[in-house]
Amino acid sequence: MAMKPEEALRAIAAARGDALCVPTMTTAPAWRTLAPDDQSVGCVGFMGGASSLGLGLALARPDRRVLVFDGDGSLLMQLGSLATVAGAAPRNLVHFLFKNGVYHTSGAQEIPGGGGVDFVQMAKGAGYRAAYAITDVAELQRRLPSLLREEGPILVELHTGLADKTPMTDRGGVPFAEQVERLRGRLIAS
Amino acid sequence: MPESIPAPLIIDTLKDTFREARASLAAEGVRPRHDHLGWILSVPDTHQKSVLAALDKERTLRVLTCSTEDEANAIAAGLWMGGEPFALMIQHAGLYASVNTLRGVAMDGRVPIFYMIGLLQREKDKEPRESRHSMVRYCEPLLDLFGVPHARLEGPDDVRFIPEYYRLAQKRRGPAAVLVGLETA
Ligand SMILES: Cc1ncc(C[n+]2csc(CCOP(=O)(O)OP(=O)(O)O)c2C)c(N)n1
Ligand SMILES: [Mg+2]
């Protein structure tokens, strides 16, 4: 049974501690309400860039955990980033992949390969330290404490249904430049 | 006539540029967390390969090879938020390949990204805009269209444009580029 993405995000919000978070696509509106803090920066306006944005943060700040909330269509757009992340080997990066099988934000068209694309194998093949698939929220809750301590980079493929909101139905939120400015201010001060 | 620039000169200039950047970050209150001076985010540029080869032996500059220039731009945004100096080393084809990310990250995100872009196949005796090669011809007009300030490195004296355009990117909080006219020596 696929979990609701909001449930997955709620579980992550409860367990994250002071981790920096990088939502994108349909995780962005949900994350805004679940974690209305200034320790997050969304990948908005450059589809596929979430994992790279997270990688830059993780390399700059090895003292902080960085959690990426990627879309399956987004990751396919910049699939080579798996190898780039693996090569840079940030110990503090956890790459959550919200696998809903579709481009939900642009109208729920099926992604190339549909639900059959195996991101766990792809991440392992690229050289991630570990990669797991998790299909229900109880298991996610149970494993989160160790996933968030484990040496990265790791990929966690979350099998989800569709989110209640998308960036198209729920516009608004802070513009990317302001999010960048805000998080930079926070990081420089700490 | 343009001249080739020796790789060590480019590397020393980048080091000085990053030293200056670290000093101004320190003045902003950024605590030093790394031993290196800064990052070179690269999708290998044939034109600057002598620089990339020499960088292999550099301990103070960390080279991160990316699969795409899109990644390099997004990684740069993360490094910027974390207070790290960096430069992107790409070629003109890489600029064309990543315009959406340049727009989304460096322009809309107001991230000061400094680019070193190799003009592979640029003819010595021709203005790039008059090149026979579309790859060479469209580089400066594209940067102009996006309002990205740029200067050409046409010989050893022009390495002064490296710190100048790096600072310009910081000052305008956006992209700035130097174009490497001839293959580096
Ligand atoms: C370069 C580019 N091409 C196409 C689009 C159009 N687009 C916007 S959202 C989206 C789908 C995102 O899908 P996914 O990453 O799976 O996230 P989801 O919406 O399913 O959470 C697409 C194709 C875009 N934003 N950028
Ligand atoms: Mg999707």
Side-chain angles (χ1 to χ4, degrees):
Chain A
M1 246 291 281
M3 65 189 114
K4 284 185 60 76
E6 292 83 3
E7 286 175 355
L9 289 168
R10 199 170 296 121
I12 295 168
R16 76 189 261 228
D18 73 347
L20 308 172
C21 297
V22 184
T24 193
M25 300 297 171
T26 54
T27 61
W31 190 248
R32 265 204 304 276
T33 41
L34 284 168
D37 58 47
D38 47 9
Q39 309 268 8
S40 302
V41 60
C43 168
V44 185
F46 47 106
M47 178 170 167
S51 56
S52 297
L53 191 58
L55 174 59
L57 283 169
L59 293 173
R61 290 298 297 257
D63 57 316
R64 300 288 292 270
R65 276 267 147 180
V66 177
L67 314 181
V68 173
F69 310 145
D70 214 347
D72 45 5
S74 292
L75 181 54
L76 285 180
M77 187 172 275
Q78 293 196 34
L79 196 55
S81 65
L82 287 177
T84 306
V85 167
R91 289 158 182 265
N92 51 337
L93 187 76
V94 185
H95 189 171
F96 291 98
L97 192 271
F98 285 69
K99 181 177 173 173
N100 57 13
V102 293
Y103 293 117
H104 187 190
T105 302
S106 55
Q109 307 86 353
E110 187 171 285
I111 61 166
V117 180
D118 186 338
F119 293 98
V120 171
Q121 281 208 49
M122 285 182 174
K124 284 185 179 163
Y128 273 49
R129 242 178 256 274
Y132 314 101
I134 296 183
T135 53
D136 72 82
V137 76
E139 186 189 353
L140 176 64
Q141 278 166 333
R142 190 158 39 74
R143 291 179 62 181
L144 264 171
S146 73
L147 289 172
L148 298 183
R149 270 198 315 272
E150 193 171 322
E151 186 162 321
I154 65 173
L155 180 127
V156 184
E157 181 188 86
L158 301 171
H159 294 209
T160 77
L162 297 190
D164 293 336
K165 297 173 185 162
T166 80
M168 293 294 134
T169 64
D170 196 64
R171 285 175 182 276
V174 181
F176 179 57
E178 273 173 50
Q179 295 189 45
V180 167
E181 192 60 29
R182 201 175 60 178
L183 183 55
R184 184 169 191 270
R186 285 288 300 225
L187 289 176
I188 281 173
S190 65
Chain B
M1 272 298 205
E3 278 176 75
S4 282
I5 306 175
L9 179 59
I10 290 184
I11 290 177
D12 286 344
T13 308
L14 277 168
K15 283 192 196 167
D16 288 344
T17 304
F18 286 165
R19 270 190 205 102
E20 182 188 305
R22 283 241 181 257
S24 57
L25 285 161
E28 250 190 281
V30 179
R31 271 197 282 143
R33 286 190 168 82
H34 300 274
D35 296 331
H36 59 251
L37 291 170
W39 299 81
I40 306 294
L41 304 174
S42 151
V43 178
D45 169 27
T46 334
H47 215 52
Q48 302 177 75
K49 62 178 185 294
S50 68
V51 177
L52 292 170
L55 279 170
D56 268 353
K57 289 167 216 109
E58 274 300 329
R59 290 280 151 264
T60 56
L61 298 176
R62 286 197 55 185
V63 179
L64 178 59
T65 304
C66 306
S67 308
T68 67
E69 292 79 6
D70 288 316
E71 293 168 15
N73 279 290
I75 293 168
L79 292 175
W80 159 248
M81 285 181 274
E84 284 289 287
F86 59 84
L88 259 68
M89 214 172 262
I90 64 174
Q91 67 180 43
H92 42 22
L95 171 71
Y96 306 138
S98 61
V99 281
N100 184 53
T101 316
L102 171 114
R103 178 203 55 72
V105 175
M107 291 163 64
D108 287 5
R110 308 209 62 199
V111 177
I113 302 187
F114 169 70
Y115 299 84
M116 294 183 67
I117 304 173
L119 290 177
L120 178 67
Q121 289 197 316
R122 184 266 169 105
E123 300 94 331
K124 244 187 177 171
D125 54 352
K126 268 201 185 129
E127 270 296 296
R129 282 169 208 259
E130 270 127 48
S131 171
R132 282 195 302 124
H133 304 287
S134 60
M135 267 197 297
V136 177
R137 214 163 51 232
Y138 290 117
C139 189
E140 288 173 322
L142 178 70
L143 292 170
D144 289 339
L145 180 68
F146 276 72
V148 181
H150 54 88
R152 237 186 276 153
L153 307 187
E154 299 281 39
D157 288 345
D158 294 338
V159 293
R160 67 191 156 85
F161 289 130
I162 292 175
E164 203 173 294
Y165 277 70
Y166 185 96
R167 284 185 217 119
L168 181 61
Q170 307 288 319
K171 196 171 134 219
R172 66 190 298 267
R173 284 291 176 93
V178 296
L179 309 180
V180 183
L182 291 185
E183 193 170 332
T184 52

